[in-house]
Amino acid sequence: MKKFYLFLYYGIAQYLPKSTRIMGKLSTKARQVLCRHIFASSGSKLIVENKVYFGNGRDIVVGDEVGFGTNFKTLNRTLKIGNYLMMGEDVLFLGGGHSYDRLDIPMGHQSTKSKTPLIIEDDVWIGARAIILPGCIHIGKGVIIGAGSVVTHDIPDFAIVGGNPARIIKYRMRD
């Protein structure tokens, strides 16, 4: 049955309008229903915008009020996402990789690395066109990742990061 839901998602639902258009609410609801059957588990108020790619979805666990932005793509990752994730458009999570140790074998013929885990804690905002590379396996609670950032390492709780490579700009503090 999961293959049927994947067929409906990738064949039809991912191409439906995004949530801001006239038919968007219905389109978003259709993607939400399909992804609830595709993901390992998902909480309430899941928002999946159009053209989101997540492979077969079996390694994805999401909490409440998680939003995947238009053109989001995750490759070779296992995802565990807490509650309250906001995400801009064109975000990319890259995992795994290729071995390149041997010089006598072309890199494309060497083994590939297994899926890279990524844990995203509660209340995280990921700006448009951010890239999360395999070196990052944990994004802390309350983190803000600036648009266009390239994240290569773990991010501590309440950090605001930006740049290429992403660096801590400051921490969110209570007044």
Side-chain angles (χ1 to χ4, degrees):
M1 196 66 176
K2 192 170 242 185
K3 287 183 181 182
F4 178 69
Y5 292 122
L6 284 164
F7 173 76
L8 288 176
Y9 176 81
Y10 286 116
I12 300 168
Q14 77 164 333
Y15 299 109
L16 296 173
K18 62 191 282 188
S19 63
T20 56
R21 304 240 167 95
I22 295 169
M23 291 292 295
K25 301 290 183 211
L26 185 58
S27 301
T28 301
K29 186 65 177 175
R31 286 188 291 267
Q32 177 190 64
V33 168
L34 290 170
C35 288
R36 284 189 191 284
H37 291 286
I38 294 168
F39 294 168
S41 74
S42 67
S44 65
K45 297 184 182 178
L46 173 65
I47 297 172
V48 181
E49 292 292 355
N50 59 336
K51 300 179 184 167
V52 168
Y53 178 82
F54 45 77
N56 62 23
R58 73 173 154 229
D59 296 320
I60 298 176
V61 174
V62 298
D64 298 331
E65 296 187 41
V66 169
F68 294 112
T70 298
N71 295 325
F72 165 72
K73 185 180 282 188
T74 181
L75 300 169
N76 225 6
R77 284 279 198 178
T78 61
L79 297 179
K80 183 177 180 202
I81 300 172
N83 301 318
Y84 315 112
L85 171 69
M86 294 189 301
M87 181 185 293
E89 296 186 352
D90 301 312
V91 171
L92 177 61
F93 294 172
L94 289 176
H98 294 278
S99 296
Y100 53 87
D101 299 336
R102 296 195 46 193
L103 301 178
D104 60 325
I105 300 174
M107 290 180 278
H109 292 214
Q110 294 185 41
S111 63
T112 57
K113 297 177 182 174
S114 61
K115 288 187 174 185
T116 308
L118 178 59
I119 298 170
I120 301 175
E121 301 290 345
D122 295 344
D123 193 25
V124 172
W125 178 11
I126 302 175
R129 297 196 171 146
I131 300 171
I132 314 298
L133 294 176
C136 176
I137 59 171
H138 184 262
I139 296 173
K141 183 177 182 177
V143 165
I144 299 173
I145 299 172
S149 298
V150 178
V151 180
T152 59
H153 293 88
D154 293 351
I155 304 173
D157 292 351
F158 303 107
I160 299 173
V161 301
N164 180 6
R167 300 193 191 293
I168 296 172
I169 297 168
K170 65 180 186 176
Y171 286 90
R172 295 174 58 203
M173 304 302 265
R174 293 187 176 157
D175 294 327

